[in-house]
Every structure is written in C-alpha cells, then in structure tokens.
Amino acid sequence: MPSRTGADSVPQHLSHVLLFWFGDDWGVYGRTYEQIATTLSRCHHVQQVLVVLPSSKGETLTTSLQIVSDRLAVARLYWRPGGISPLRLRSLGSLLKLQRERFALRRQIRSLGFRERNTLLWLFPPHPVLDELVRQVPAAARIIQIVDDFTLVDKTDWYYPFAVDQYPRLGSIADLIAVTSKANEQKFSSQAACVRIDQAVSSAFLAEPTDFQPAGAQPVLGYVGTFWDRTDVELLRRIALERPHCRLLLVGPELNRRLSDSGLLGLGNVEWLGSLPNDQVPMQLKRMNLCLIPHLDTPFSRSMSPLKLFQYIASGKPVVSSAVEGLELAGDLIRIEKDPARFLQAIDEELASDSPEKFRARVAFAAAQTWESRVERILAALPVQP
C-alpha cells in the first residue's frame, strides 16, 4: 500500500470523503478528480473515499462497486436526467430504478461509515444531479471544484445548460470553491470562500536523469490531450507542413471532427494514436523530443489550467506553447509564443539548445508539483467546521 501522506491535510472529524464526478472515465485519463481522490485516500485521518460516477452502461451502485484500495472505492450510479427541469416524462420502470438507486446510495454510504458529522462532500459541477446529491448526502462540509468553465462551451454540449443553471447558485451549496484558473477565481470568489490551485503531476510521469536523449535528424514533436474547441489544429497542420523533417506524434481523443476534417492526419509525418490509458502516456512522452501546447486563446481556454503542462515538464522535454492562461507557474521553463511563425522558430531553437542540465531542471521542478501539495492547499482553505 502507498505510504500515508498529508498528516494535517484533512480535519480529523472529516474522516470520510464522498466525491462525485460528472463523467465515467476512472482510470482512463488520470483526470484531476482521480488524482485528488487517490491523494485523499492516503491522508492520515481519512478512513474511506468513495468516488461516484454517472453510469454509462446501465450499471447500478450494487453491481458496479470497484475496490481500488482499502480506503478507496469507485461506484457507478444510475441517475439519468433528461434535462435540468424536474418535470421529466419517464417510464414507470425507469422511475422505479431511479428510486431504488436513491435508497441504494443511502445504504451504500452508511455501510461504509459515512455520517453527516464525518463526511466531506466533494462535487465537480456541472453535475446533472447536483441538487439531488446535496439533498441526498448529509455532510459536515462541502467543497465545489471547478476545473473548466462550461458556460463557455458550445450551447449544444450537454454541459452547458447545467453549468448555466448551477454556477450562479454554488455559493449556497459550498463551504469552499476550488478553481484552477484566474478567470474562474474572478468569477466564483464573490459567492463563497475560494482557493486557486494549479494542476499537478503524478510521480509516474517523472523521468529518470538517464532518460535524456538529444534530438536527432528527425525530431519527434508531441501533443497529448483532447482534440476539441480549444485545440489549434491549423497550427499543428502548419508545423507538420513547414517542418517536414520532424515527426508529429498526437495522443488523445477527438471530441469533434476538426482534427479528422483538417487534412492533418493524411500527412506522412503525422502519427495519431487516439485515446490511450493514462498509464501508457509516460511511455509516449519518452518518444518525444519536444512537447506542444497549441491552444487557441479563447474565453473557454482562459478558464483552464492545462494538466499536460506538468506532465510534459515531468518528462524533462522542452515545451513550446501558444500564449494562453495557466502557464505562469512554469513560465521560466517553457517557451510561450503568440505568433505562429515565432512558434515554429521557437521549436527549432528549443530543440537546438536542449541539454541534460535543462532536462534535469525541468524534472526537478515537476517533482515539487505534487497532488499532495494541491490537496493540502485546498483543505487548508476550508473554513473550520464546529
């Protein structure tokens, strides 16, 4: 079992943490909620962390419980709303199944020792059943965490109506709101106590000093992340066309057709691996000589803190990024360029000037950006409960 950590992180009376995430992707991308749940399960005073995800394949709480460790479990909840309105037409069978899940949730958390006096409820909105969860789960304290601002996505995305409905009311729910960007801090700090944290990195991404390899005649330029509205696919295409001696290695899922329709994937020096399990990403980072953050500067991207930044730096590789928010902490270690021509020039310069000393400095920086330190910061900001 991993060593216990964060002796003073969690107030001693909050020994049970119930965390609700809005997607069913545990073990896939290593997202923020997964790192926080795992970190909390290693804190001294925590007896149980239960992560509850929305069911994606019709699972129920009683059929889906996954024991990750003696203090960490994951379950899928059948709770499928058709929209934000409480007046929804459902079949009798669906209504009965939903009611059974409500009772099952109460039984499950009580069987694991959750009581109002010892429970910390950690919610990631926009969550389709946020209000229902607040009513159903008595808790001594509630933390709301905002990763991205989903009021800024396309209005056809399922996140959008829930975000528009829930975000203005978070102050009435939360004892603390945790955010990962300056824009979100400005947006939510007027509602409740608010703490801003950066993303962090798992130790699995940390390179060894012997991993340094100088770029050869065909450098590998890499991007890891989701391809969607924030990704500057045209910049990636320009890199591939104007640096034909470089290979472009792309890792991550596509949420719309912009990548597939761009013509980028048909170029001979481009390799797209699609979505990979998070534990396979460090191996792909080792193949890269330089890492890219080609994000568009939009209101949505300004609400983010790119997790890939810390994963890249942990691999020891040089990083070239477009000028977006969330890079300040590592600003001295990466190249940030607003102009596409300067972006390409920065790639050439960073490849030519890389060294074992720079490699080690990046890894050393990343080693200090732990999830333990981020969780400590969030919990230190939680108002003390009686």
Side-chain angles (χ1 to χ4, degrees), residues 70 77 81 87-88 128 134 200 246 309 312 332 364 370 377 379:
D70 61 343
L77 180 70
L87 301 175
R88 297 186 295 270
V134 170
C246 295
L309 169 67
Y312 287 172
D332 293 338
T370 65
R377 179 165 167 74
L379 292 169

Side-chain angles (χ1 to χ4, degrees), residues 42-62:
R42 297 198 296 263
C43 290
H44 277 94
H45 303 309
V46 171
Q47 297 179 27
Q48 184 66 53
V49 178
L50 177 62
V51 178
V52 180
L53 311 175
S55 170
S56 61
K57 299 176 182 177
E59 307 100 327
T60 65
L61 281 171
T62 54

Side-chain angles (χ1 to χ4, degrees), residues 61 98-108 136:
L61 281 171
L98 287 168
Q99 190 60 33
R100 286 197 299 270
E101 281 294 84
R102 291 183 176 93
F103 288 127
L105 178 61
R106 295 188 199 121
R107 288 197 306 269
Q108 187 82 269
Q136 290 286 322

Side-chain angles (χ1 to χ4, degrees), residues 127-234:
H127 197 292
V129 289
L130 179 79
D131 298 309
E132 190 75 23
L133 294 174
V134 170
R135 288 193 296 268
Q136 290 286 322
V137 181
R142 299 190 193 109
I143 293 175
I144 295 285
Q145 187 157 354
I146 303 293
V147 179
D148 305 324
D149 185 349
F150 287 104
T151 64
L152 302 174
V153 299
D154 190 290
K155 294 182 180 181
T156 61
D157 287 344
W158 76 262
Y159 307 102
Y160 178 80
F162 294 106
V164 169
D165 173 61
Q166 293 169 10
Y167 284 178
R169 302 186 286 108
L170 296 183
S172 65
I173 298 170
D175 296 289
L176 177 70
I177 300 176
V179 299
T180 53
S181 69
K182 186 187 303 181
N184 284 340
E185 183 178 29
Q186 292 170 346
K187 181 168 185 170
F188 293 101
S189 59
S190 62
Q191 292 197 43
C194 188
V195 60
R196 179 184 168 193
I197 63 162
D198 288 282
Q199 297 280 15
V201 68
S202 165
S203 60
F205 282 81
L206 292 173
E208 298 292 336
T210 55
D211 288 340
F212 174 77
Q213 295 290 336
Q218 291 185 308
V220 177
L221 314 178
Y223 173 82
V224 176
T226 301
F227 293 88
W228 62 337
D229 294 349
R230 67 179 173 180
T231 313
D232 192 342
V233 177
E234 182 53 38

